[in-house]
Amino acid sequence: MTISIFIDACVSAALFAIIFSNSLSETIKFRYQFLMFLVTLFCNFFLIQYSWVGYLTIFLLEIIIVIATKNHLINVLASLGGYILSITSNYLLLFLIQLLLSMSIVDLYSKLTYQILFYIVYLAIAYALTYLLGRFMKKHFATGIDMNHRSTFRLIFLELLLFSIILVFNITYGRQIGYPARFIAFNSVLFFVYFLISTALLINILRSNHKLILAEQKEQQYAQLRDYMHTLEQTSLKLRKFKHDYLNTFLTLDSLIHTNPDDKDFQQKHQYLISYFDQNIKPERARIQAVDTQFVGLANLSDPGLKSLFSVKLGLASMEHMNVRLEIADPVSSLPMNSIDIARILGIFMDNAIEAAEASKDTIPPFVHVAFIQMEDSLHIVIENSCCSDAVSLDKLSDYGYTTKKEHQGYGLHEASRILDQYPHVTLQTTCLDDVFTQTLYMDTKEKN
Amino acid sequence: METIYICEDDPQQIACLEQTVQDYIAFHCENNLPKIASFTDPYKLLAHIQKKNKFSVYLLDIALNSQINGIQLADRIRKLDPLGFIIFITCHDEYMPLTFRHRVGALDYIAKDSDDFKSRVMQALQMAYDRFRTSMLSQEENNYPASFCLQNGATLHHIYYRDILYIKTVKEHRIRIFTCSGYIEYYGSLKDLQRQLPSDQFFQCHRSAIINIYAIETVNTAKNFVVMKNDITLPLSKYKKDTLIQLLTRHNASQ
């Protein structure tokens, strides 16, 4: 009898180790898998008489997963999903055996050959299902969860946790009453239906969430465009004022220059002309320079999202008395990246640039300079800002959670790097030299990614 | 420095620039006095360069009143005279230092309305002259530092071996080359990269990292890690430990 329990415990330990590590979005080390095996074996062999052993096992396994993986939430989710998937398929398999072979679980466990055969078939099914789940997770969530989805995923986590608890309760209770045939039939149908419904719900939630984010982005773009229009209007008002003054100055000059040398007061007028030039025209040079021609370069940028992004961010920076410059010498027509992705990356870079320049402004005159440089078959985007070289650790820069700012969480550059993963032909160069921090994106324009 | 070219659409300003350049030549150049060639039409300037020029100096205005502007002109000059010195003379509005530096590797850029315009032009000419002399010297010794070209799509990066500290994978297929001043991140494989690097200087110490053995600060063989010159710790695979130590001893012996 003990041997049978031991075999049973071994099989479930192997099963748990497989399904929990298989369904993850990242590959974990073998030693953690082995630890999972040992933990489950211990629980199922020595503590099997207690009704809370199922909860304990899952709890311990989730702790191992949190320790072994980088993206905790998504992997806990994945492993719970894998567990639910396996248990549901277990019930379905038992139900099918009941229906087709009319064997109850008692018959199945009465002969060792049947039992082993059942285990092998079931292990294969569980392995295949969790393998598929794992592949799905690796494909879509290898780099963690999109920031915007976090709250949704917490809810999904709760849902899966609840489902798992119900499953464990069910199994424990089933074991106590010896898995009667009707119980299995009922459970398998119930779980299967519940499983289908929650999968459909999950997909729907994620889809509508995605739509919501897109709508928000549109809204944001619109707001940015409005801000951009506002800056343009301000600039054109300034220009009009300047034009007015300019014409007046010309009229005065005209009258002073065209005086007859034979006039009595010629000498006087000549003197006046010189002093007028020195006092009224020379200082104008500063005013000409002050009129905002900075953002004229934006006309060369056809993407409305980027137009507004840079007008707003650079506007903010110049309000903070930073030296701001935008260089777009040639029309930038086609962007080799999705415009939302590129706006997000550049937005993150700009925020960081402005904050770094702001943070070090006491020691280094703050500046933020941006350039779009169109080469023959590539586009370079350079963002340069003043910063304190000593404050940055380049090695850790895009690590999840790394930050030099006090009340921030350091997700920005990690997010940027996550987006860049989708674009193999984009190279990112980051340098920090002599208190100048530079991010340069090199993108191919020939091939569209 | 064979010739100093000037391209500017306003004859008045050409005269002013020529005067400054002549002053410079008179005071600073001893023998092999460079010629001065001024153009209002960029195409005529380009036609003139065809006759095999090297290490010339180009003073270019941006707005040229022609089909091409100064930056595009500089692009074309670069193709004919890749080692020449380009100095942009610009108005405030056209002042684009990042673009000048990145796109054509401009030596300097001077705003026309700056108060010390003449002395700025002189300084830039002096800088070109100094660089010209040092590059002539290094050319005689034929002593170019070893480097390799990293190509990702249409983008080429020229990296000197001695600048590389270490290279590591940050994610699957995402490679980061760390230099003293920063890093370059691109999509590729460590294996392909290692093939391009000299094996006596670069060592794969772990499946996720290649190190420049000249940039190692310490090797900890007990706990299996290496510390690089910028205080970054990298893992050392225990199977590679002996090979690394052999490599380092061989280097010490040969020095």
Side-chain angles (χ1 to χ4, degrees):
Chain A
M1 198 56 206
T2 343
I3 292 177
S4 164
I5 291 177
F6 185 70
I7 292 175
D8 215 49
C10 268
V11 170
S12 27
L15 178 76
F16 273 67
I18 287 171
I19 60 174
F20 271 73
S21 54
N22 233 0
S23 42
L24 301 182
S25 71
E26 45 191 286
T27 325
I28 60 169
K29 286 189 176 132
F30 180 71
R31 66 176 108 116
Y32 289 115
Q33 290 187 25
F34 191 62
L35 190 65
M36 286 182 182
F37 176 78
L38 288 183
V39 165
T40 324
L41 184 62
F42 176 82
C43 289
N44 277 337
F45 190 62
F46 293 105
L47 308 172
I48 193 74
Q49 65 270 33
Y50 302 109
S51 56
W52 39 261
V53 65
Y55 308 106
L56 180 74
T57 319
I58 296 207
F59 180 69
L60 290 176
L61 291 182
E62 292 305 344
I63 287 180
I64 295 175
I65 283 170
V66 167
I67 296 169
T69 57
K70 279 184 200 139
N71 297 307
H72 311 315
L73 181 60
I74 194 68
N75 282 312
V76 168
L77 270 176
S79 57
L80 285 179
Y83 175 71
I84 292 167
L85 201 59
S86 317
I87 300 300
T88 311
S89 64
N90 185 321
Y91 273 113
L92 276 178
L93 188 63
L94 281 175
F95 182 52
L96 277 180
I97 291 173
Q98 241 175 48
L99 267 185
L100 300 177
L101 308 171
S102 48
M103 277 167 83
S104 76
I105 194 157
V106 186
D107 302 328
L108 204 62
Y109 275 49
S110 61
K111 259 195 187 170
L112 197 63
T113 37
Y114 286 161
Q115 199 183 346
I116 290 173
L117 206 64
F118 171 73
Y119 281 149
I120 290 173
V121 172
Y122 174 55
L123 269 178
I125 291 174
Y127 184 87
L129 285 178
T130 49
Y131 175 77
L132 288 178
L133 178 66
R135 262 197 31 186
F136 176 80
M137 297 310 279
K138 281 188 184 82
K139 198 175 162 199
H140 294 280
F141 297 102
T143 46
I145 306 166
D146 199 304
M147 286 291 295
N148 296 313
H149 289 309
R150 282 201 155 249
S151 54
T152 321
F153 273 91
R154 290 207 183 99
L155 282 179
I156 295 173
F157 168 69
L158 280 182
E159 204 260 341
L160 288 185
L161 192 69
L162 210 67
F163 196 2
S164 306
I165 290 172
I166 294 170
L167 277 182
V168 175
F169 172 76
N170 214 288
I171 293 166
T172 325
Y173 187 65
R175 193 186 288 131
Q176 278 168 5
I177 59 170
Y179 298 112
R182 233 186 271 157
F183 176 82
I184 286 175
F186 176 72
N187 266 355
S188 53
V189 172
L190 177 74
F191 288 154
F192 188 61
V193 170
Y194 188 67
F195 180 78
L196 283 185
I197 290 174
S198 29
T199 316
L201 266 179
L202 277 186
I203 291 170
N204 260 326
I205 289 171
L206 285 182
R207 271 212 193 126
S208 58
N209 207 5
H210 187 68
K211 269 185 201 155
L212 205 70
I213 288 167
L214 282 185
E216 262 170 34
Q217 272 164 348
K218 274 258 165 67
E219 181 74 22
Q220 219 177 353
Q221 262 184 13
Y222 178 68
Q224 286 172 336
L225 206 62
R226 232 171 22 209
D227 290 337
Y228 173 61
M229 293 298 284
H230 184 72
T231 351
L232 275 188
E233 277 162 14
Q234 291 297 320
T235 310
S236 78
L237 277 181
K238 267 192 223 165
L239 270 177
R240 206 164 69 185
K241 171 95 176 56
F242 180 73
K243 207 165 126 190
H244 176 82
D245 294 353
Y246 187 73
L247 285 176
N248 279 343
T249 312
F250 259 77
L251 286 176
T252 317
L253 275 181
D254 191 47
S255 70
L256 285 172
I257 288 169
H258 293 119
T259 39
N260 195 345
D262 302 330
D263 277 4
K264 278 182 285 181
D265 55 350
F266 175 73
Q267 206 60 9
Q268 205 184 341
K269 277 197 170 165
H270 183 70
Q271 276 305 320
Y272 182 65
L273 175 65
I274 290 171
S275 68
Y276 184 83
F277 183 82
D278 286 346
Q279 279 167 20
N280 294 321
I281 297 178
K282 265 193 178 169
E284 284 299 294
R285 202 169 78 186
R287 228 177 104 199
I288 296 173
Q289 290 177 352
V291 171
D292 229 337
T293 48
Q294 293 292 349
F295 302 157
V296 168
L298 283 175
N300 281 333
L301 208 55
S302 58
D303 186 278
L306 291 185
K307 233 190 226 300
S308 47
L309 175 84
F310 282 102
S311 72
V312 172
K313 299 281 178 199
L314 291 173
L316 277 178
S318 67
M319 270 199 281
E320 298 289 328
H321 304 291
M322 292 180 190
N323 182 331
V324 170
R325 196 167 52 224
L326 177 69
E327 304 173 9
I328 309 177
D330 301 298
V332 177
S333 46
S334 70
L335 289 165
M337 281 172 88
N338 171 313
S339 63
I340 288 172
D341 283 346
I342 196 168
R344 239 166 132 188
I345 292 176
L346 294 176
I348 291 166
F349 287 174
M350 283 306 288
D351 287 343
N352 286 346
I354 293 169
E355 277 175 62
E358 176 77 26
S360 60
K361 72 174 173 192
D362 296 332
T363 45
I364 304 143
F367 67 82
V368 178
H369 298 165
V370 180
F372 279 69
I373 301 157
Q374 184 75 61
M375 309 289 272
E376 221 164 275
D377 39 19
S378 61
L379 172 70
H380 302 182
I381 303 175
V382 189
I383 298 178
E384 211 181 62
N385 63 277
S386 55
C387 80
C388 186
S389 296
D390 303 332
V392 207
S393 163
L394 281 174
D395 194 75
K396 299 205 181 73
L397 213 55
S398 72
D399 283 5
Y400 192 67
Y402 175 79
T403 180
T404 53
K405 304 162 219 157
K406 267 179 198 141
E407 61 276 14
H408 282 70
Q409 292 172 298
Y411 298 138
L413 285 181
H414 178 82
E415 180 70 7
S417 157
R418 208 183 66 84
I419 298 169
L420 279 180
D421 278 352
Q422 302 160 31
Y423 299 95
H425 280 297
V426 177
T427 313
L428 170 67
Q429 183 171 26
T430 306
T431 58
C432 187
L433 199 65
D434 302 328
D435 294 332
V436 180
F437 187 86
T438 317
Q439 297 266 35
T440 315
L441 278 174
Y442 300 88
M443 314 192 260
D444 276 20
T445 40
K446 253 187 188 168
E447 243 175 302
K448 277 215 167 174
N449 284 310
Chain B
M1 283 210 339
E2 275 196 10
T3 318
I4 296 177
Y5 288 96
I6 297 171
C7 193
E8 160 71 66
D9 59 339
D10 180 5
Q12 196 69 42
Q13 287 185 17
I14 284 193
C16 169
L17 271 171
E18 270 180 350
Q19 187 57 50
T20 317
V21 173
Q22 257 157 14
D23 286 351
Y24 174 79
I25 292 172
F27 285 108
H28 299 273
C29 298
E30 286 135 25
N31 38 24
N32 290 336
L33 294 184
K35 284 172 280 194
I36 304 175
S38 305
F39 299 90
T40 46
D41 181 357
Y43 290 102
K44 282 191 181 145
L45 185 146
L46 285 169
H48 196 264
I49 311 174
Q50 313 282 11
K51 297 160 196 160
K52 197 178 141 202
N53 276 289
K54 260 192 183 170
F55 286 117
S56 291
V57 176
Y58 305 87
L59 297 167
L60 309 177
D61 187 11
I62 301 283
L64 290 173
N65 212 355
S66 166
Q67 272 179 338
I68 57 170
N69 63 28
I71 301 175
Q72 287 157 335
L73 172 63
D75 276 341
R76 298 194 188 185
I77 290 175
R78 266 280 166 265
K79 284 190 184 139
L80 301 167
D81 181 5
L83 299 170
F85 305 100
I86 293 168
I87 300 163
F88 285 110
I89 311 284
T90 70
C91 284
H92 177 79
D93 279 4
E94 305 149 341
Y95 187 65
M96 295 195 271
L98 276 177
T99 310
F100 299 157
R101 227 172 7 181
H102 246 267
R103 185 155 152 185
V104 285
L107 181 74
D108 205 350
Y109 15 85
I110 302 160
K112 276 179 189 171
D113 48 3
S114 58
D115 297 324
D116 51 349
F117 178 70
K118 276 201 169 186
S119 66
R120 289 274 290 113
V121 173
M122 295 260 207
Q123 272 172 24
L125 288 170
Q126 185 62 40
M127 190 149 63
Y129 191 57
D130 290 344
R131 290 228 185 144
F132 167 69
R133 275 198 304 204
T134 43
S135 53
M136 285 312 270
L137 283 176
S138 69
Q139 213 178 22
E140 275 163 24
E141 289 169 18
N142 202 7
N143 193 9
Y144 285 111
S147 64
F148 82 104
C149 251
L150 172 70
Q151 182 164 19
N152 188 25
T155 317
L156 274 175
H157 289 273
H158 201 69
I159 308 171
Y160 294 122
Y161 292 141
R162 58 155 192 238
D163 288 343
I164 301 174
L165 295 175
Y166 55 93
I167 299 147
K168 68 178 193 182
T169 48
V170 273
K171 258 168 247 154
E172 226 176 320
H173 297 304
R174 205 85 202 160
I175 308 282
R176 218 178 258 187
I177 302 178
F178 282 85
T179 60
C180 310
S181 61
Y183 61 77
I184 295 177
E185 187 180 314
Y186 74 104
Y187 184 92
S189 90
L190 219 50
K191 226 183 222 168
D192 292 343
L193 184 60
Q194 178 145 43
R195 259 182 245 132
Q196 291 186 56
L197 298 168
S199 59
D200 58 333
Q201 188 178 355
F202 290 91
F203 179 73
Q204 181 155 16
C205 62
H206 186 260
R207 94 189 121 82
S208 67
I210 295 175
I211 51 175
N212 179 353
I213 62 167
Y214 295 116
I216 297 177
E217 193 71 46
T218 51
V219 180
N220 188 324
T221 48
K223 289 186 178 162
N224 296 328
F225 63 79
V226 283
V227 182
M228 307 305 290
K229 275 189 177 147
N230 58 350
D231 290 331
I232 291 300
T233 308
L234 293 171
L236 173 62
S237 154
K238 53 185 169 192
Y239 310 108
K240 307 249 173 131
K241 196 160 53 179
D242 295 334
T243 332
L244 176 63
I245 289 167
Q246 271 172 22
L247 199 63
L248 286 173
T249 9
R250 212 182 311 146
H251 264 276
N252 281 344
S254 67
Q255 269 170 12

